[in-house]
Amino acid sequence: LLIDDMQFLQGKSATEFGHTLSALLTGAKQVVVAGDSAPRDLEMLDERVRSRLSGGLVVPINPFDQDLRRAIVQKRAEQAAQRFAGVNFAPSVIEYVARSVVSHGRDLDGAVNRLVAANQLTGEPITIPLAERTLADLIRTHDSRRVRIDDILRVVSRHYRVARNDILSSRRSRDVVRPRQIAMYLAKALTQRSLPEIGRRFGGRDHTTVLHSVRKIEQMMRDDGDLQQEIELLKKMLEE
């Protein structure tokens, strides 16, 4: 059994996975799972399930080193040159992208695609100055701490003194709804997760619920300076 994105399992699905895992391991079957954190940090899973996963071979997937990033950019650049007339990536540009874009592989693909699009739309050669302008937001991620949704839930739960399980639950009381909306807003603002992904992490909610929460908090911040300062404080706490 192979499962990716274990961190998205919630509620009944997590319980069913625990039963499935026990049955497979009892039958001497192999199970491989991947997630964005170690088994002990997958708080949506039962403690017994986390213990069973921790008892297996736990292997961290480290960020790409610069040689691998360079090889990826080189390959994507060669593919782009075959598809589009006038596309040429100088070795210095490939080196710049490989050194500067360090978040994950999809961003390397995105960096090459952006540079190709800029070249095709404007006719400007693909140079380091063009890369600096076009890839500014991808490069900024190198300097900022990666914020996880688990971090947001932990900080918001502690700040508002609301249990994490209440934030993920269907409770509609004001003392739970507001922290939940703020947590969703922070997840959208500080992570690269999509709205559907955020919804799944917040108790299996629909992406429209997440969008409503984000817009609600944005409007409240415009109307309430104190709330804006409070959320800025939460951001600083998460980025420290």
Side-chain angles (χ1 to χ4, degrees), residues 10-21:
Q10 300 282 348
K12 183 179 179 182
S13 296
T15 302
E16 291 174 347
F17 170 75
H19 297 323
T20 302
L21 178 67

Side-chain angles (χ1 to χ4, degrees), residues 21-191:
L21 178 67
S22 296
L24 290 172
L25 295 183
T26 300
K29 306 299 182 182
Q30 288 186 321
V31 178
V32 180
V33 303
D36 66 357
S37 56
R40 65 178 179 274
D41 297 327
L42 294 171
E43 298 178 358
M44 74 292 299
L45 297 179
D46 182 87
E47 174 61 32
R48 290 170 297 179
V49 177
R50 283 183 280 167
S51 178
R52 282 215 167 199
L53 292 176
S54 297
L57 176 63
V58 180
V59 181
I61 302 176
N62 296 317
F64 298 162
D65 61 27
Q66 188 163 330
D67 288 340
L68 180 54
R69 295 199 302 272
R70 185 187 301 112
I72 291 172
V73 176
Q74 179 72 50
K75 184 65 175 180
R76 295 293 186 263
E78 291 172 355
Q79 293 171 338
Q82 293 174 358
R83 293 182 58 199
F84 301 99
V87 168
N88 178 48
F89 281 75
S92 59
V93 175
I94 291 174
E95 187 67 25
Y96 174 80
V97 174
R99 188 180 69 251
S100 304
V101 180
V102 298
S103 46
H104 49 66
R106 286 188 296 272
D107 280 351
L108 292 172
D109 286 346
V112 173
N113 290 338
R114 290 190 195 187
L115 291 172
V116 171
N119 167 264
Q120 295 295 293
L121 290 170
T122 67
E124 182 176 351
I126 299 175
T127 60
I128 289 179
L130 177 64
E132 289 175 337
R133 297 195 309 272
T134 307
L135 309 180
D137 61 312
L138 293 179
I139 293 170
R140 280 199 300 271
T141 62
H142 175 64
D143 299 322
S144 59
R145 175 182 180 273
R146 178 179 176 235
V147 177
R148 303 180 307 165
I149 291 180
D150 282 342
D151 299 327
I152 293 170
L153 288 168
R154 173 175 47 79
V155 168
V156 170
S157 173
R158 184 173 59 199
H159 183 77
Y160 291 102
R161 299 182 180 180
V162 177
R164 182 182 187 277
N165 288 341
D166 286 341
I167 294 176
L168 300 179
S169 73
S170 58
R171 287 187 55 191
R172 300 293 302 167
S173 58
R174 180 181 175 83
D175 62 328
V176 172
V177 170
R178 184 58 46 77
R180 181 187 297 139
Q181 291 176 331
I182 289 173
M184 289 183 183
Y185 166 81
L186 291 171
K188 180 65 174 66
L190 301 180
T191 76

Side-chain angles (χ1 to χ4, degrees), residues 186-203:
L186 291 171
K188 180 65 174 66
L190 301 180
T191 76
Q192 298 180 343
R193 301 293 188 186
S194 66
L195 294 178
E197 288 176 316
I198 294 171
R200 286 195 293 269
R201 294 300 305 275
F202 280 79

